[in-house]
C-alpha cells in the first residue's frame, strides 16, 4: 500500500516568507508526528497528533511554527517569517494501531527546506 | 523524562565483518525499542524492534539485544554489505508513547 507522502520534496524560499509543508499519512493511521532534522543531526520532535485529541505541541521551537490536522487525514506544518536557522529536512511519520497495540512509526522522505 | 544515548557516532567496518551499535536509556518504564535505518535523501525506515518482554530478536543478518537491568540495547549486523552503509537511529518509547531518539550512527562499509 501507499506509504507516507510529503510535499513538496524540496522548497527554497527567501528569509521572511511563510512556508507550508504537507503530509499525507498512511490511510487509517490515527497518530501523526512532525520532526525536524538538521544536516547531519538526529530527529527533533516538533508536534504529535492523535485522533481527535489536543495535539502535543511541546516540541515546537517558536510561535512561528504551527501545524494542523483535520481528523485522521492530511496535516500541514506552517512556518511563518522563515529564518535561516529553519533550514532543515522536515519529516512526517504516521502510526496505526493493530490488535490493540501501537504499531511502529512510518516515515515519509521529508521536505528539504532551504532559506536563502 | 527519557534520555537515549547512542554510540559510536561513526563506525567504519570492513565488508563482511560485523557491526555493533549501542544505546542506553534512562527510564526503566520504557518498553519498546525500535531501530531505524536512514539512507541519504530518504526518511528513516524501521529495520527491527524489540519489546521489553524479550531479550533478543533476530531477522536474518540483523539482531537486537536488550538488557533491561543495565538499560541498554544493541544492534548487531553480521556479514556487512555495501548496502548496509547508512545512518542508524535507536529510540526508546516513553510512558507517553513518544519515541525518544538517539543521535544516530553513521555506518560506513569499506570494500
Amino acid at each position: 500500500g501507499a506509504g507516507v507522502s510529503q510535499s513538496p520534496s524540496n522548497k527554497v524560499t527567501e528569509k521572511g516568507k511563510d512556508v507550508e509543508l504537507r503530509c499525507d499519512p498512511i490511510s487509517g493511521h490515527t497518530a501523526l508526528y512532525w520532526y525536524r532534522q538538521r544536516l547531519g543531526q538526529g530527529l527533533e520532535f516538533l508536534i504529535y497528533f492523535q485522533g481527535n485529541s489536543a495535539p502535543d505541541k511541546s516540541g515546537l521551537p517558536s510561535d512561528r511554527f504551527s501545524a494542523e490536522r483535520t481528523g485522521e487525514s492530511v496535516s500541514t506544518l506552517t512556518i511563518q517569517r522563515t529564518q535561516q536557522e529553519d533550514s532543515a529536512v522536515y519529516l512526517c511519520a504516521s502510526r496505526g494501531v493493530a490488535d490493540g497495540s501501537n504499531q511502529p512509526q512510518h516515515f515519509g522522505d521529508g521536505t528539504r527546506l532551504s532559506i536563502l | 523524562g527519557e534520555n537515549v544515548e547512542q554510540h559510536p557516532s561513526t563506525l567504519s567496518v570492513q565488508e563482511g565483518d560485523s557491526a555493533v551499535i549501542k544505546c542506553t536509556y534512562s527510564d526503566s518504564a520504557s518498553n519498546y525499542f525500535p531501530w531505524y535505518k536512514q539512507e541519504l535523501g530518504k526518511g528513516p525506515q524501521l529495520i527491527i524492534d524489540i519489546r521489553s518482554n524479550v531479550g533478543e530478536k533476530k531477522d536474518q543478518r540483523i539482531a537486537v539485544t536488550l538488557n533491561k537491568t543495565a538499560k541498554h540495547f544493541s544492534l548487531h549486523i553480521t556479514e556487512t554489505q555495501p548496502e548496509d552503509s547508512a545512518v542508524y537511529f535507536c529510540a526508546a518509547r516513553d510512558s507517553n508513547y513518544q519515541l525518544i531518539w538517539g543521535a544516530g550512527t553513521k555506518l560506513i562499509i569499506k570494500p
Side-chain angles (χ1 to χ4, degrees), chain A residues 13 17-21 34-38 44-49 55-68 75-91 111 113 115:
Chain A
T13 193
K17 300 285 189 185
D18 297 351
V19 295
E20 195 172 274
L21 313 180
W34 283 98
Y35 295 91
R36 179 169 69 181
Q37 187 175 33
R38 290 199 165 105
E44 180 185 355
F45 167 75
L46 296 177
I47 189 168
Y48 161 57
F49 296 90
D56 176 355
K57 304 180 181 180
S58 60
L60 294 179
S62 77
D63 58 8
R64 296 187 296 105
F65 288 72
S66 62
E68 292 184 348
S75 176
T76 55
L77 176 70
T78 301
I79 308 173
Q80 296 179 308
R81 306 180 302 281
T82 51
Q83 303 294 314
Q84 288 187 330
E85 63 262 27
D86 299 334
S87 296
V89 175
Y90 290 82
L91 291 162
T111 293
L113 178 64
I115 310 299

Side-chain angles (χ1 to χ4, degrees), chain B residues 3 13 48 56 74 78 81 83 85 89 96 100-101 106:
Chain B
N3 182 51
V13 301
I48 196 167
E56 184 173 2
S74 299
T78 58
Q81 300 170 3
E83 55 265 36
S85 293
F89 291 97
N96 294 319
I100 309 303
W101 296 83
K106 183 175 183 179

Side-chain angles (χ1 to χ4, degrees), chain A residues 33 37 48 56 102 105 108-109, chain B residues 36 38 43-44 97-99 101:
Chain A
Y33 302 78
Q37 187 175 33
Y48 161 57
D56 176 355
N102 289 294
Q105 293 184 26
D109 285 336
Chain B
Y36 283 77
Q38 186 176 29
Y97 283 95
Q98 302 287 22
L99 288 181
W101 296 83

